[in-house]
Amino acid sequence: MDRELKIGCIGTRGHYGQALAELEQIENVRLAAMSPGGDSAEGIKEWCNKRGEFAEYFENYQQMLEKGGLDLVIVCGPFEKHAEMTIAAMERGIHVLCEKPVALKIADLEQLKRCAEKNPRVLLAGMMFSRYEPGFFTAHQLVSSGAIGEIRLINARKSYKMGKRAEYYHSRSTYGGTIPWVGSHAIDWVLWFLGKQPRSVCAMHSRIGNGGHGEMESSALCQFLFDNDVAVSISIDVLRPPGAPTHGDDWMRLVGTRGVMEVRPTEIHLINDENDGSRKVPVASDRTLVGDLIEEIRGGKKGLIDAAQTLELTEMCLRARDAADGNGKAEFKKH
Amino acid sequence: MDRELKIGCIGTRGHYGQALAELEQIENVRLAAMSPGGDSAEGIKEWCNKRGEFAEYFENYQQMLEKGGLDLVIVCGPFEKHAEMTIAAMERGIHVLCEKPVALKIADLEQLKRCAEKNPRVLLAGMMFSRYEPGFFTAHQLVSSGAIGEIRLINARKSYKMGKRAEYYHSRSTYGGTIPWVGSHAIDWVLWFLGKQPRSVCAMHSRIGNGGHGEMESSALCQFLFDNDVAVSISIDVLRPPGAPTHGDDWMRLVGTRGVMEVRPTEIHLINDENDGSRKVPVASDRTLVGDLIEEIRGGKKGLIDAAQTLELTEMCLRARDAADGNGKAEFKKH
């Protein structure tokens, strides 16, 4: 039988709750330690209390990592500390599941890249939960099996409600920008489906209409060009009306040489040689992000997102955001 | 009673058939003359024969214009002659309904601009039929009445089937490019809804996967930035699968400060303070492009598209296409 894996959790900004919920479904893992990491650990404490479990509390996250014994740490500290916290864990050989983006600045990302290169056996995954949603999960399988031929064009959208957001969303230095925070999922689908970084991106974003949220951008567009003239447009907004039936309006459209597919979290609309769009495509996903990561830690098969893609995705987001600051264009180095 | 208006028709490339079909619905107008204009007049002859009408045939379109007596000419000659034919008519005081794009090169467009400035009382309209489709027509009324607040972001799409296209589609010099030919409608909705030209455009296009259609581009993206940081993404492709239920997949999404609207030719999906998206929005249009033009010629109210917008639209299309040739960016002069 597998030995019990010990998990630590730093902070409660972002999707720590979803990570813990997925953890509950996995046998032989235990939340062993927590730290507020400059934020709060209240939500983690509540999760433990509800389950009648105990996890050791550390005011200082470095001390938590230092004490040893952790196999995996969930990083949900202040966004601007993602890179620092991830590096601290990886350098101690602790695998990391980090809220995206794993860095808010290119300089921090470069440090993280060097750390990942030095520690190739330590796993790092960004919280790209949406790869595991039934629609996107099934779409990737279908596209990989040739359902639409070669991809020529992708349009993707993230649209969220603004609501009333905490103070740290109001400032670029603690939020990072709407392209990395909201747009990263759409950019991640593209990276996942195309399997490589783009050649360039043209981007723009705007704070106008953000309902008093300081520097937070409420709308953005990114236009990526990939090898072989594959074109990608990403639309991002936080202007979804309060009365909309769901918080988000995730959507992707893939145009291939022999078919077109529209994808949402729980549905796929496909037109190709075999389907004129009138037949529903069954969607399903029997895996989770945390489940895959635990399996990989135990020496099983690889999950859907690894350190290399986590870092490539972050670079795409940050270069697009920085280009958008000047309504300009960024080139990617590898090309 | 209004006097009978005499119409001439040059050539049969593009949507002359739709123009003639709309003409049939109008009283006191008559197709009086036709010319192949370097192409063919067969389709026009057939239309006359079916209706038992007679229209004088001119091998040479200039002679047709020269003979006098025409109030309006429908220009559907070879695309690369649109500008020359339109100028020839306008300089003789004849109003023009021209297939889009009204020019294939910036130099031709500049000539046409000068001609329009010299002849301010001569009407010129590009064939932007889609403004009159019930969905787009109603959407414009709703947006004008504030249904979504201020527009912050627009995504629009044109997607067509490729099929087997005539030889003149295979060459840039006779076709003009997919951004002007297919994309112009989507770009036109944006011009119409925002009411002005953009500050800049980033564009790309590709011929890959065009099924043996020479220089014809099969996919394209345009990202326009307007004043006040209003962002627009346009997706264009001619990769719609042969088995799709319709030839085109026209779609526009408008994101405003108080609502989001998705528009198709015969339907609107609206989410705002008053509609959570579950109630259907009734759509209707009781006007036509040709009907409006005839009414304006008779001194009645203005149609939806005038010479200024026809020329602005053409400039947006051509600058985007030229930028796409280098995967680059173009600025618009007025800004």
Coordinates of all heavy atoms in Angstrom, one line a residue, chain B residues 4 14 70 81 94 119 121 145 169 204 221 234 244 251 269 301:
Chain B
E4 N -40.6 57.4 -62.2 CA -40.0 56.1 -62.3 C -38.4 56.3 -62.3 O -37.9 57.1 -63.0 CB -40.4 55.4 -63.6 CG -39.8 54.0 -63.7 CD -40.1 53.3 -65.0 OE1 -39.6 53.8 -66.0 OE2 -40.9 52.4 -65.0
G14 N -20.4 38.6 -57.3 CA -20.9 39.0 -55.9 C -22.4 39.0 -55.9 O -23.1 38.2 -56.5
L70 N -29.8 57.3 -66.3 CA -29.8 56.3 -65.2 C -29.7 57.1 -63.8 O -29.0 58.1 -63.7 CB -28.6 55.4 -65.2 CG -28.6 54.4 -66.4 CD1 -27.3 53.5 -66.3 CD2 -29.8 53.5 -66.3
K81 N -12.2 46.4 -60.4 CA -12.7 47.5 -61.2 C -13.8 48.3 -60.4 O -14.4 49.2 -61.0 CB -13.3 47.1 -62.5 CG -12.2 46.6 -63.5 CD -12.7 46.4 -64.9 CE -11.5 46.1 -65.8 NZ -12.0 45.6 -67.1
I94 N -24.5 59.8 -61.2 CA -25.3 58.6 -61.0 C -25.0 58.0 -59.6 O -23.8 57.8 -59.3 CB -25.1 57.6 -62.1 CG1 -25.3 58.2 -63.5 CG2 -25.9 56.3 -61.9 CD1 -24.8 57.4 -64.7
N119 N -18.3 65.2 -55.3 CA -19.7 64.9 -55.6 C -20.5 64.6 -54.4 O -21.1 63.5 -54.3 CB -19.8 63.8 -56.6 CG -19.0 64.1 -57.9 OD1 -19.5 64.8 -58.8 ND2 -17.8 63.6 -58.1
R121 N -23.4 65.2 -53.3 CA -24.8 64.9 -53.4 C -25.1 63.6 -54.1 O -26.2 63.2 -54.3 CB -25.5 66.1 -54.2 CG -25.2 67.4 -53.5 CD -26.0 68.6 -54.1 NE -27.4 68.4 -53.9 CZ -28.3 69.4 -54.0 NH1 -27.8 70.6 -54.3 NH2 -29.5 69.2 -53.8
S145 N -30.4 52.3 -27.8 CA -31.3 52.8 -26.8 C -30.8 52.4 -25.4 O -31.5 52.5 -24.4 CB -32.7 52.1 -27.0 OG -32.6 50.7 -26.7
Y169 N -11.1 34.3 -57.5 CA -10.9 34.3 -56.0 C -9.4 33.9 -55.7 O -9.0 34.0 -54.6 CB -11.8 33.3 -55.3 CG -13.2 33.8 -55.1 CD1 -14.2 33.6 -56.1 CD2 -13.6 34.5 -54.0 CE1 -15.5 34.0 -55.9 CE2 -14.9 34.9 -53.8 CZ -15.8 34.7 -54.7 OH -17.1 35.1 -54.5
M204 N -3.5 39.4 -38.9 CA -2.8 38.3 -39.5 C -3.7 37.6 -40.4 O -4.9 37.6 -40.2 CB -2.2 37.4 -38.4 CG -3.3 36.8 -37.5 SD -2.7 35.7 -36.3 CE -1.9 36.8 -35.1
L221 N -7.3 37.0 -38.5 CA -7.7 37.7 -37.3 C -7.4 39.2 -37.4 O -6.3 39.6 -37.9 CB -7.0 37.2 -36.0 CG -7.3 35.7 -35.5 CD1 -6.4 35.4 -34.3 CD2 -8.8 35.6 -35.2
I234 N -11.9 40.4 -34.4 CA -12.7 39.9 -35.5 C -12.0 38.6 -35.9 O -10.8 38.5 -36.1 CB -12.6 40.8 -36.7 CG1 -13.0 42.3 -36.3 CG2 -13.5 40.3 -37.9 CD1 -14.4 42.6 -36.5
A244 N -22.0 21.6 -42.7 CA -22.6 22.5 -41.8 C -24.0 22.9 -42.3 O -24.2 23.0 -43.5 CB -21.7 23.8 -41.5
W251 N -21.7 36.0 -36.4 CA -22.0 36.2 -34.9 C -21.3 37.4 -34.4 O -20.2 37.8 -34.9 CB -21.4 34.9 -34.2 CG -21.3 34.9 -32.8 CD1 -22.3 34.6 -31.9 CD2 -20.2 35.3 -32.0 NE1 -21.8 34.7 -30.6 CE2 -20.5 35.1 -30.6 CE3 -18.9 35.7 -32.3 CZ2 -19.6 35.4 -29.6 CZ3 -18.0 35.9 -31.2 CH2 -18.4 35.8 -29.9
H269 N -29.3 37.2 -28.1 CA -29.3 36.7 -26.7 C -28.7 37.8 -25.8 O -27.6 38.3 -26.0 CB -28.4 35.5 -26.6 CG -28.4 34.8 -25.3 ND1 -27.3 35.0 -24.4 CD2 -29.3 34.0 -24.7 CE1 -27.6 34.3 -23.3 NE2 -28.8 33.7 -23.4
K301 N -35.7 59.8 -46.1 CA -34.7 59.7 -45.1 C -33.5 58.9 -45.5 O -33.5 58.1 -46.4 CB -35.3 59.1 -43.8 CG -35.7 57.7 -43.9 CD -36.1 57.2 -42.4 CE -36.3 55.7 -42.4 NZ -37.3 55.1 -43.3

